[in-house]
Each structure stands twice: as C-alpha cells, then as structure tokens.
Amino acid sequence: MKRFAAILLALTLLLAGCTVPVSPTPTPALTPATTSPIPLPTSGGDVAESNIFAMDTVMSFRVHGENGQDMLALIANAINALERELSVTREGSDVWRINHAGGESVTVGEAAAYLLSLAKELGDSTGGALDMTMYPVVKAWGFTTSEYRVPSGSELSGLLEHVDYQKVETEQKPADLGDTYVTLPADMELDLGSIAKGYAGECAANLLRENGVTSALLNMGGNVQSVGSKPDGSPWRIGIQDPNETTGSYLGILQLVDQAAITSGGYERFFEEDGVRYWHIMDPHTGAPARSGLVSVTIVGNKGGLCDGLSTALFVLGREKALDYWRTYGGFEAILVDEDNNVWVTGGLKDSFALVEGSSYTLRLVEE
Ligand code: ADP
Ligand code: MG
C-alpha cells in the first residue's frame, strides 16, 4: 500500500521539473533576519554569500566553490522570476490573472501549472488539509495586511462557501503545445503561498547542481535548502527553531545533505487578542487557525515544493494523522513538535537529528 501510494505521488511529481523564466533583476543588499530552521555557522574555503528580499522573506544564500558570485546572481534572478509568476498580489502574475479572470480560463506558465497540480494532489491526499483556495479566509484574519482581526463565526462560514480547491480546473491542450488552461469560479481566489517558497528553493538548488555546484546552503525564511554537503564533506547542521522561544534559539540540530528542511510554525506569523494566539496556518474545515496540538512541523525531503506543502498540511492534520500520512506515503521525514513539549521524529532521522543538550523537550522516535 505504502509503496503503491508513494509511486503514484512520485509519478505526478516527476512530470514537472523546475522551469525558471530568466530575467536581469538586480539583487538588493539586505541584512538577514534570523529565521528557522537556522543554518549554523561554517567556516573556511571559497565562499560567496548574499541576501535578497523575495517572496515576502529575507533569504540568505551561501555558495562554496568557483564562480560563487555568478551562481548567486543566477539563483536570485530565478527566484525573482518565479515570484513574478506566482505572487498572489503582483498584478499580471499567473496567480493574479487566474484570480482576476472572472471565471474565464487563462493560460499559465509551467511553474504555476506544476504547483497547481501539486497543490491539488496534496489537497486530495490530506483530505483537504491543504487548500489553495483559502486565500479569502487568510485575508479576513488580516494576515495579508497585518491588520489583524478575529472574524465572526458567521463571517467565516460565509467565506468557507467560497473555499474548495476541487473547483480549480486545469486542462492541458496538446494542440497548443501543452499550454495549461486554468479556470477558477469568479467568487473564489487561490494562492500558492504555502508551497511556492519551497519550490523556489528546489529550483534554485537544481540550477546550482546543473552548474556544477556541490556545496551550497539557501535559507529562505523557515525553509532551508541544501546542495550537497559542507565543503569538507560533512553534513550541513541546521538548527530547528524552538517554537516556545524567541526567534534564533533552537531546540535541536538536524544534519542535512542535499535536501530541503522546511518548517511551518505557529510562532512564525501570529497575533494575540484577549490572551489567545492566532496564527497564519489555517484549518480549511473551520476557517480558523489550525489547533491540532502541533506547534511546529519540519519536513525533510528531496523536493522543496512537496516538503513545503506537507509542512503546512501536516500542521493542520495533527500528530496522529500526520504520522499515518508518513506511514502511507513515505518519501519524506518529519519533526513534529507538540504543545506538550514532545518532539516526534520519524525513523529516517534517527541518526541525523538530536535535541540540544539539557533540552526540556522529550524526543520520541517514531518507527513505521
Ligand atoms: P510560511 O509561508 O510562513 O513559510 P507555510 O508554508 O506554512 O508558511 O504557508 C502558510 C501560508 O499559506 C499562509 O500564510 C496562508 O497564506 C496559506 N495557508 C494557510 N493555511 C493554509 C492551508 N490550510 N492550505 C493552504 N494554504 C494555507
Ligand atoms: Mg508550507
């Protein structure tokens, strides 16, 4: 069962690679914010580093080896180009055109087409825990503008009538060189924000690999994408943010080689009202912040886009369903932190994750 499901998922995900429209956007210099997961310092060797602001996040990149500056420019351009295609707010992006088409069909580029199929697949396999049409609900809570508010129950149930990823229709027309046509009912809006950053990291890593880079670390605000290992051949060391502490303190260390580690946490974006904390990861069944008992979910795997979608979806599902999902589909590993200070770590990370010394958390290894 597990293998069959994994093969099915892998098949669809193999269909699209990373296609990145190239453009000459310059790279602004910014100071990096500390984010989670936190790459721990390495030293020595031929290294080039840069920071850019893209996809609503400060990203910091480190590339070892020759041509580092060229490689940094290459990936910054690629990520900026993806943002122009995938941003929900940028006029003229693929996502913007879908949302403003008044129910008519529009053609989209390969990146949007791939992410729409990934979002649909994750919606199906998680029972709707990931729903790309949650955007109106996310807006109503103020997470798109930082003008936070708690919507009433009736407002939320009204909005949820316009939420259902299954109504997103995509069609490929071979006669039009395989263009993808997307149709969304006029009273709905979609957003790929829960998977786009992970996908951008995946594409950037592939670009670096294609250009011969064997050692690089891309930190994209809660998402870490690694290429190869550290220059000395040892694994990258990634700090997993302690969800109960201020940004920058970590509860454990993950060793990572050539993979993505992507975290969704309730501490990342939230507001408080009357002593209650409301965060930006929403349960599509209630229209409210997901209260599953988990406070952070880190997914480790080969495909950043998939890991990003899973980090959001498994946060919504909660520990038991998340681990069932892992047992059924496999193909990734997970670190789940619950509100009782347990850290549930799937078997494949047995030798690559450890709590920091003297931790107040309890490590619970999960075997199949
Ligand atoms: P971040 O973008 O902060 O790294 P996530 O990858 O977890 O975090 O994505 C969260 C974003 O996705 C939210 O800001 C919101 O726009 C959107 N979102 C929230 N809940 C869901 C959901 N259940 N399904 C799809 N998208 C969601
Ligand atoms: Mg995500």
Side-chain angles (χ1 to χ4, degrees):
M1 169 62 189
K2 175 170 174 169
R3 263 194 56 207
F4 178 66
I7 288 168
L8 259 187
L9 193 66
L11 263 183
T12 330
L13 300 180
L14 270 176
L15 285 177
C18 292
T19 46
V20 178
V22 178
S23 83
T25 314
T27 308
L30 280 176
T31 316
T34 317
T35 49
S36 164
I38 312 147
L40 304 175
T42 52
S43 61
D46 203 353
V47 59
E49 291 176 290
S50 70
N51 305 301
I52 67 168
F53 186 79
M55 299 186 159
D56 244 352
T57 306
V58 178
M59 304 183 174
S60 47
F61 307 139
R62 184 192 312 161
V63 177
H64 292 272
E66 290 169 10
N67 304 326
Q69 293 300 338
D70 293 345
M71 295 298 121
L72 291 172
L74 186 72
I75 60 175
N77 283 342
I79 291 166
N80 286 323
L82 280 174
E83 177 172 20
R84 281 195 297 280
E85 272 195 47
L86 301 172
S87 164
V88 66
T89 50
R90 192 185 282 248
E91 207 172 317
S93 79
D94 285 0
V95 171
W96 189 92
R97 288 187 300 105
I98 295 169
N99 288 341
H100 292 81
E104 299 294 317
S105 78
V106 299
T107 56
V108 298
E110 283 182 44
Y114 168 67
L115 289 180
L116 288 167
S117 74
L118 175 61
K120 159 119 182 36
E121 193 143 359
L122 286 173
D124 288 346
S125 60
T126 62
L130 191 84
D131 191 316
M132 63 180 132
T133 63
M134 277 293 278
Y135 193 60
V137 177
V138 175
K139 270 203 295 199
W141 285 86
F143 284 109
T144 54
T145 55
S146 303
E147 283 163 28
Y148 301 118
R149 57 189 278 275
V150 179
S152 69
S154 61
E155 182 181 349
L156 288 179
S157 47
L159 287 170
L160 285 177
E161 287 172 18
H162 307 277
V163 171
D164 182 0
Y165 72 94
Q166 298 185 62
K167 293 191 175 145
V168 182
E169 282 178 28
T170 57
E171 192 189 353
Q172 282 213 331
K173 299 195 179 172
D176 295 337
L177 296 172
D179 270 358
T180 300
Y181 287 75
V182 183
T183 321
L184 183 72
D187 61 348
M188 295 175 65
E189 284 181 288
L190 67 79
D191 167 32
L192 298 170
S194 63
I195 51 179
K197 245 190 299 163
Y199 177 70
E202 174 184 331
C203 292
N206 285 341
L207 260 180
L208 294 177
R209 292 182 189 117
E210 284 159 19
N211 283 277
V213 174
T214 56
S215 179
L217 197 65
L218 316 177
N219 182 9
M220 308 168 78
N223 296 358
V224 169
Q225 171 71 56
S226 66
V227 173
S229 52
K230 288 204 279 188
D232 66 5
S234 63
W236 297 105
R237 287 157 50 81
I238 309 296
I240 302 299
Q241 170 71 37
D242 182 339
N244 294 309
E245 290 290 335
T246 49
T247 317
S249 38
Y250 41 91
L251 61 76
I253 293 173
L254 172 71
Q255 301 189 42
L256 198 65
V257 177
D258 218 31
Q259 286 190 311
I262 295 190
T263 300
S264 284
Y267 58 85
E268 283 172 338
R269 211 166 346 135
F270 64 87
F271 67 98
E272 275 168 11
E273 199 173 292
D274 299 330
V276 182
R277 184 174 281 206
Y278 300 95
W279 48 66
H280 70 306
I281 302 166
M282 301 274 160
D283 185 338
H285 297 114
T286 63
R291 308 255 179 231
S292 66
L294 293 179
V295 291
S296 117
V297 172
T298 299
I299 305 291
V300 181
N302 292 328
K303 297 198 72 106
L306 174 64
C307 292
D308 199 354
L310 284 175
S311 73
T312 308
L314 300 195
F315 187 105
V316 173
L317 285 180
R319 192 242 311 169
E320 284 183 18
K321 286 184 185 161
L323 293 176
D324 284 348
Y325 188 97
W326 171 70
R327 290 189 182 97
T328 306
Y329 291 94
F332 67 94
E333 302 296 333
I335 301 166
L336 315 174
V337 185
D338 70 22
E339 56 199 6
D340 299 319
N341 288 354
N342 296 301
V343 183
W344 304 83
V345 176
T346 56
L349 297 178
K350 187 164 45 132
D351 299 322
S352 50
F353 176 80
L355 292 174
V356 294
E357 222 169 283
S359 174
S360 55
Y361 288 87
T362 310
L363 187 93
R364 303 201 180 264
L365 193 65
V366 185
E367 299 292 354
E368 288 206 24

